[in-house]
Amino acid sequence: MKKVLLSLFALALSFSSWASIRVMSYNIRLGVAKDGDNAWELRKEATPAMLRDIRPEVFGVQEAYDFQIAYILEQCPEYRAVGVGRDDGQARGEHMSVFYDSSRIELLEWGTYWLSETPDVPSYGWDAECRRTATWTLMREIASGQKFYFVNTHLDHVGVAARKNGLALIYNKIKEMNPGGLPMVLTGDFNVLPDDKGLTELNTLMKSARFNSVEADSIGSFNGFGKYGMSSGAPKLNDSKKEKGTLRPIDYIYYSGFDESLCFKVVTETYAGKKFISDHYPVYSDLALKSSRVEAAVIDSKILGAQKKYNVYLPEGYDLEPGRKYPVLYLLHGAKGTFNTWPKSYNMKTITDWRINSGFCLPMIIIMPDASGEDADHAGKHMGYFNYSDWKYEDFFIGEFIPAMEARYRIIGDRAHRAIAGLSMGGCGTALFALHHPEYFSSACPLSARLQGRPDAYPGRDDMKEYIDLIELNDMPEYVKNANPQQQKTISEIRWYIDCGDDDYLVDGSVNLWREMRALDFPCVQLRIREGTHQQEYWRTALPEVLTFVSIGFAAAEPK
């Protein structure tokens, strides 16, 4: 047992890394511009100083000439860069290059397209004053293994149609290149304000970090080497270009597929003695990689002739390794509950995250099906996990639900990596499914379960009669006792964890099931009678041990 626990701890820690990626957009101001005291040669030292301070993992530059890119790479040797000149597809003209810290980021693929009707060749688009490009990259964050796309662009400063159509082209290219839904970043100088209609479609696909960050600066980014003043409030979205009182928020970071943007920062600090390192302030965001999450979904059942909802918990890192499969725990709710009960009432996600990140359980997928009744209190007709005369829930669960889930999600899908647990009515369902279909489950954990006896609940409710009759008919201790030797042997191969509070009115059924299993010398049947009663505080305290118990079973099945 000690070896199994140590192995479990090591396995869990190896998959519990959490990461964020710092990304930046930086209009560097073209190095051939006649800017007097703000000329590139007089301010160039400020750029590597800023990069050493901010330390972005990936950043996109706009207006950079080849000699400016070469200078950055010389001064910051940890970075690599990809991109081409917009005028000839090689070195001539401005580059929309993407830089990445090669100690933390691996480049997998990259390319450039022009914002025009002929995106594969150097060209002007629509009414643009200049040739405009977008550089795209597919990258991998080395520490976590997370793949993500990073796109960097600069929209035209004159052509209204060029900006609108250029954004539409970028929108379509992003959808085309990323059918698998990998995390995505888009940076650039868009030369429009955030309420521009050209951003409407993009806003349906991605989020602007400026307006969707935990912490965000409200000032703009285009300073014109000091021509635009600082604003103490949010940028004016409807000001005209003739009004030069405040900074203009025209530099963007958009993202999708990340858990959240932790910050959006406008870099206004002085570097290498230069208050303005460019006529744009750089902007950066810290984008958190996907953590664990709970998603609601629906399955169409032919057996039930209805749709059934469910929740699924996907562990941290699920998106990082598309080829990796996970063990699964089916977690059942109690009477008058729904598929939302475990995540919303019993802190399932918080508890599971804690146990995984502490090394006490393996990363796993947890699926919470719905077995609620059709009345307002979620009781009534069709409540529970039984096969009714007109509602074959047990057949649905075994014959449809499990196969559908294990095809829809990356689940290992064998008995050794499949467990079931549930509380109260769900504890009854856990025992029911495990006893009737022992070949499906490696572990079964009925918690505060109704395992025998006729309930005296729901007086005067005719719609509950069949449910109550089925509970009385399905006496779990008697089922084990009366099963034939082969059935008993298969049931005994399940690892059993039976838990009930000492003041719970259902405690006798738990004890009696344990006694029958113990009398038959089941190799792993554990009974926990702890202080508590039939309430949610008790089930919250049961879940951590359940997660560890089923994980030990999963870990024992792993190749040594």
Side-chain angles (χ1 to χ4, degrees), residues 457-496:
Y458 311 107
R461 289 190 60 168
D462 292 339
D463 59 339
M464 299 301 298
K465 183 179 184 304
E466 189 174 4
Y467 168 75
I468 292 171
D469 289 344
L470 285 167
I471 288 180
E472 185 177 24
L473 286 170
N474 284 275
D475 186 302
M476 308 300 174
E478 284 295 311
Y479 186 90
V480 171
K481 180 180 179 180
N482 296 326
N484 65 50
Q486 182 56 48
Q487 289 174 322
Q488 291 174 345
K489 180 180 183 300
T490 310
I491 294 167
S492 74
E493 293 169 357
I494 296 175
R495 304 172 66 256
W496 288 89

Side-chain angles (χ1 to χ4, degrees), residues 477-551:
E478 284 295 311
Y479 186 90
V480 171
K481 180 180 179 180
N482 296 326
N484 65 50
Q486 182 56 48
Q487 289 174 322
Q488 291 174 345
K489 180 180 183 300
T490 310
I491 294 167
S492 74
E493 293 169 357
I494 296 175
R495 304 172 66 256
W496 288 89
Y497 182 94
I498 304 167
D499 185 306
C500 198
D502 58 357
D503 291 323
D504 194 312
Y505 67 96
L506 299 177
V507 67
D508 290 343
S510 294
V511 173
N512 290 338
L513 180 61
W514 171 77
R515 282 176 173 160
E516 293 297 340
M517 291 179 170
R518 188 183 181 201
L520 293 167
D521 293 324
F522 279 24
C524 183
V525 51
Q526 298 187 18
L527 176 67
R528 297 291 184 272
I529 304 297
R530 300 179 292 116
E531 182 178 1
T533 186
H534 203 81
Q535 59 184 11
Q536 64 186 39
E537 287 79 6
Y538 187 87
W539 300 316
R540 287 195 192 103
T541 64
L543 183 58
E545 297 304 320
V546 166
L547 294 172
T548 297
F549 181 82
V550 301
S551 290

